[in-house]
Amino acid sequence: MNVVVLVKYVPDPQGTPELDDAFLVVREGTEGALDPGDEYAVEAGLRLVETHGGEVTLLTMGPETASAALRKGLSMGAHAGVHVVDPALRGSDALATARVLAAAVRRRPFDLVLAGVESTDGSTGTVPMTVAQLLELPSATFARALSVEDGVLRIERPTDLGFDVVEAPLPALATVTGSAPEPRYPTLKGIMQAKQKPVERLALADLGLSAEALAPTQRVVGLTRAQERAAGEVIQAGEDTAKRIVDLLAEAKVL
Amino acid sequence: MDLSETAEESMLREQAREFLRARYPIQRVASIADGAGFDRHAWQEVAALGWAGISAPEDAGGAGLGFVEECVLGEELGRALFPGPFLTTVVLTLPALTGAPDLVKEVVAGETVATLAWLGPSGEPGATRFPIGAGLAQDRPGLYGSAWFVPDLALADLAVVAAEGPAGPGLWAVRLDQDTISRQDLPTVDTTRRLGALFLEGALGRALAQGSDAERLLEHLRDRALAFLAAEAVGVASRALEMAVEHARTREQFGRPIGAFQAVSQSLADAYAEIESARSLVRWAAASVAARAPESARAAAAAKALASEAAVRTCERSIQVHGGIGFTWEHPLHRYYKRAQWIQAFLGWPAELRARIAASLLDGPGDENERV
């Protein structure tokens, strides 16, 4: 089976991304990495082709530096990469990104598209499902386990009480959570082979898309810092201790 | 000679650093150092990534890379104070096992931890060049004698033993589970890399190399060890400097970060300059040793002399910059300092190495093959 994994190059996941004057994430001249969430999707894809045969192709859209994300995934064991890189794509919103990715996926036969749940920088969490919609694929989201049998994708989706089993006929799209099996570390051989693996570079024209069709439909108009977590309340032992605790629990709607 | 880092080497470095940061945070290293000193399961995990077979040929299950890549890994292992037998098993013994493919396979798979026993009681290979005798006048043939300062001896399954046999010097592969063998732990400053003494009383071994082959092999192993330890020292120093810079940026006194005071910032700038010089020497040494070039003994000795000094001095500067906290057991700096001191002491102090380099340059003008 042919698995396409959508991957993203994000600024250092441990740090706080910087924003420019237009509220766009600064991507040039910063340290970055393959989004750690996407590594789970790569791992899931590798496991599926190890069982069923086939290839894992990584697909990314991003500036030149984004090739580092492909290289990381290739060193984990993915077979090929596709890099959509075009200056006109700078600042693309989630919908434009999904259009580009869908157009790139469509270019060759595939059975399954995998993605992380959301990126650690943009965090919209909307791109995978939009890609599924554009490709008219069923989407099975938030998988902690995936399997394929007789042309049917089956995932386990954690819920508050346990998990749902969701099935979809292939071709399909699934998003993979961080409770799926841990991503593997690249072996030395994997690292050394990564550079020899094929990476196709595509521009917008190759995808038959025009910059106008990708004009943003969303725009960030303002930015507010998240409130710092306030100090907790310490309740001293005394006569009204119990009452104060009960009041707080009621206030938090626990009682 | 182009000594700059290739794209593949940079990737190897990045991936190794990421793995070590995730799997060997300093807290884990500390608990291993204060406990058994070794985690066998962890070594197998590292072997599964191909690290134990980094320079073993691909048909032996290795990655088929070379000594330059070993040194790239070495710097990262030093940065992380990696508490595993990479120095002993991979750097010091693997090349001696070439004639025993079954042993190479065990080592590459991480099943067998191996070390090299070739130092006398003075810590020098030269003093009593081969401290262990082979098949001497005892009533049964075998290896007899003692070897000192054997790194990772307590956890090793196999030792490559340098001995003087009837036909001259030789190297033998000796399994350490024989009852003709005893081992003794020696007090070691860096508990992530412990030393031991090995006593053989008629132990059986498998011949690996004899005569001048054995001598050449030992010289090559020493060059490898010196260059690799220098790479490790650069890693140790870089990390100690990073910690100092971080502290100097955030710790405030008299209303500003202490890094704003010249006494602090200039000391750290000097450390940086020393580390970068050492890094360049390490690249030269790694490339020379990898190519088995005539100057490899000098290059390896020079790199180890400078890099180990840089590491010790950087740790000392870092401890001073950290102030009181740098002196505590809880702070990890003392662990870096101890590794730096271990590296500086092992296989020759900087002054001894420089004396050897000088002697080889002055006594044998024009002869590049002169051993250091």
Side-chain angles (χ1 to χ4, degrees):
Chain A
M1 63 189 295
N2 289 319
V3 180
V4 178
V5 184
L6 310 180
V7 295
K8 186 174 186 184
Y9 181 75
V10 296
D12 179 14
Q14 257 99 51
T16 309
E18 279 181 50
L19 301 180
D20 65 15
D21 295 343
F23 305 116
L24 293 174
V25 175
V26 176
R27 297 185 189 282
E28 285 80 26
T30 54
E31 289 277 307
L34 170 61
D35 194 315
D38 295 345
E39 289 187 15
Y40 287 88
V42 175
E43 178 64 34
L46 292 173
R47 282 171 185 243
L48 285 174
V49 304
E50 277 160 9
T51 310
H52 299 282
E55 292 204 339
V56 172
T57 303
L58 307 173
L59 169 59
T60 194
M61 176 188 120
E64 293 294 340
T65 45
S67 60
L70 292 179
R71 253 199 333 268
K72 172 73 190 285
L74 292 172
S75 68
M76 288 171 70
H79 302 80
V82 177
H83 186 180
V84 184
V85 49
D86 196 307
L89 288 170
R90 193 175 174 278
S92 294
D93 63 5
L95 179 58
T97 305
R99 283 191 171 128
V100 170
L101 294 175
V105 170
R106 213 180 268 130
R107 296 176 82 242
R108 60 182 91 190
F110 65 92
D111 302 292
L112 180 63
V113 180
L114 295 178
V117 171
E118 61 179 16
S119 61
T120 51
D121 56 351
S123 305
T124 68
T126 56
V127 168
M129 282 69 78
T130 315
V131 170
Q133 182 66 31
L134 292 168
L135 294 171
E136 298 180 350
L137 297 177
S139 71
T141 50
F142 298 102
R144 70 167 191 192
L146 297 91
S147 62
V148 167
E149 219 172 301
D150 300 326
V152 175
L153 168 74
R154 173 184 295 210
I155 69 149
E156 287 179 14
R157 174 192 292 154
T159 66
D160 286 346
L161 298 173
F163 63 90
D164 295 335
V165 174
V166 181
E167 289 185 346
L170 295 179
L173 177 144
T175 63
V176 182
T177 68
S179 51
E182 284 284 320
R184 65 195 64 188
Y185 287 101
T187 64
L188 283 187
K189 271 189 198 166
I191 295 168
M192 293 301 151
Q193 284 163 358
K195 237 192 146 199
Q196 272 93 53
K197 290 179 176 172
V199 173
E200 188 184 11
R201 283 169 59 94
L202 299 173
L204 276 189
D206 300 314
L207 297 173
L209 293 170
S210 66
E212 295 75 54
L214 298 171
T217 53
Q218 299 171 341
R219 175 164 80 83
V220 178
V221 293
L223 190 73
T224 315
R225 279 203 172 276
Q227 211 168 20
E228 297 237 359
R229 192 184 288 241
E233 180 184 342
V234 178
I235 301 165
Q236 302 292 347
E239 266 178 30
D240 54 354
T241 310
K243 184 176 178 307
R244 180 72 192 124
I245 292 173
V246 170
D247 286 349
L248 280 172
L249 290 173
E251 205 176 295
K253 298 199 170 74
V254 178
L255 294 180
Chain B
M1 193 186 274
D2 180 6
L3 295 178
S4 49
E5 193 163 288
T6 66
E8 280 89 352
E9 285 162 16
S10 302
M11 265 183 76
L12 171 61
R13 177 185 301 286
E14 274 167 37
Q15 298 295 330
R17 190 172 298 186
E18 194 180 319
F19 171 80
L20 290 165
R21 199 170 0 188
R23 304 287 292 141
Y24 288 89
I26 193 68
Q27 300 81 355
R28 183 176 180 211
V29 172
S31 84
I32 293 174
D34 297 342
F38 176 55
D39 180 341
R40 184 169 288 270
H41 179 73
W43 176 243
Q44 279 165 354
E45 181 191 22
V46 165
L49 294 181
W51 292 14
I54 178 168
S55 51
E58 293 191 46
D59 54 20
L65 302 173
F67 186 63
V68 174
E69 287 87 352
E70 280 181 55
C71 286
V72 170
L73 210 48
E75 186 183 331
E76 296 309 314
L77 293 168
R79 273 183 79 88
L81 293 185
F82 177 70
F86 192 93
L87 167 72
T88 45
T89 301
V90 181
V91 178
L92 279 171
T93 46
L94 250 189
L97 299 176
T98 315
D102 53 321
L103 295 180
V104 171
K105 222 172 238 177
E106 284 176 29
V107 163
V108 167
E111 292 156 9
T112 296
V113 171
T115 186
L116 181 67
W118 86 119
L119 300 178
S122 68
E124 269 291 306
T128 49
R129 186 167 194 123
F130 300 100
I132 296 177
L136 295 181
Q138 269 79 5
D139 50 1
R140 63 198 166 93
L143 297 159
Y144 292 82
S146 59
W148 293 80
F149 308 106
V150 186
D152 295 335
L153 179 64
L155 49 108
D157 311 295
L158 180 87
V160 170
V161 169
E164 189 74 34
L171 290 175
W172 280 266
V174 177
R175 296 244 184 231
L176 295 174
D177 56 359
Q178 307 175 48
D179 52 17
T180 48
I181 290 174
S182 56
R183 317 180 215 190
Q184 183 194 325
D185 293 335
L186 299 174
T188 311
V189 62
D190 175 8
T191 49
T192 61
R193 186 169 282 158
R194 301 177 194 196
L195 297 164
L198 176 66
F199 304 96
L200 307 182
E201 291 180 45
L204 299 180
R206 192 160 141 191
L208 297 170
Q210 302 299 316
S212 56
D213 286 352
E215 284 191 17
R216 268 199 303 273
L217 193 50
L218 274 179
E219 279 166 4
H220 180 54
L221 293 177
R222 189 182 63 169
D223 294 346
R224 283 169 58 84
L226 290 172
F228 180 85
L229 287 171
E232 260 196 349
V234 168
V236 170
S238 306
R239 185 68 196 112
L241 177 61
E242 271 175 23
M243 286 193 281
V245 170
E246 175 70 25
H247 188 75
R249 279 200 178 123
T250 48
R251 169 79 177 158
E252 290 189 11
Q253 281 295 351
F254 309 106
R256 52 187 143 151
I258 58 170
F261 297 103
Q262 288 191 349
V264 171
S265 56
Q266 288 173 354
S267 170
L268 297 182
D270 287 345
Y272 177 80
E274 282 180 21
I275 293 169
E276 289 309 311
S277 304
R279 196 189 304 278
S280 299
L281 263 186
V282 165
R283 292 294 296 179
W284 177 47
S288 305
V289 173
R292 301 189 81 150
E295 73 278 11
S296 52
R298 284 178 198 146
K304 201 270 207 176
L306 189 76
S308 65
E309 276 179 342
V312 169
R313 264 202 298 263
T314 303
C315 287
E316 285 168 353
R317 291 178 200 273
S318 186
I319 288 169
Q320 292 304 325
V321 166
H322 276 81
I325 190 75
F327 284 79
T328 62
W329 181 262
E330 288 70 22
H331 199 280
L333 259 176
H334 68 94
R335 300 182 190 276
Y336 292 87
Y337 191 34
K338 286 169 182 166
R339 175 66 70 90
Q341 288 177 315
W342 193 103
I343 293 171
Q344 192 180 40
F346 196 68
L347 292 182
W349 293 85
E352 295 172 69
L353 293 172
R354 289 200 181 100
R356 280 191 228 155
I357 295 167
S360 112
L361 288 170
L362 298 172
D363 298 347
D367 184 1
E368 280 288 306
N369 286 301
E370 187 77 19
R371 294 299 305 176
V372 173

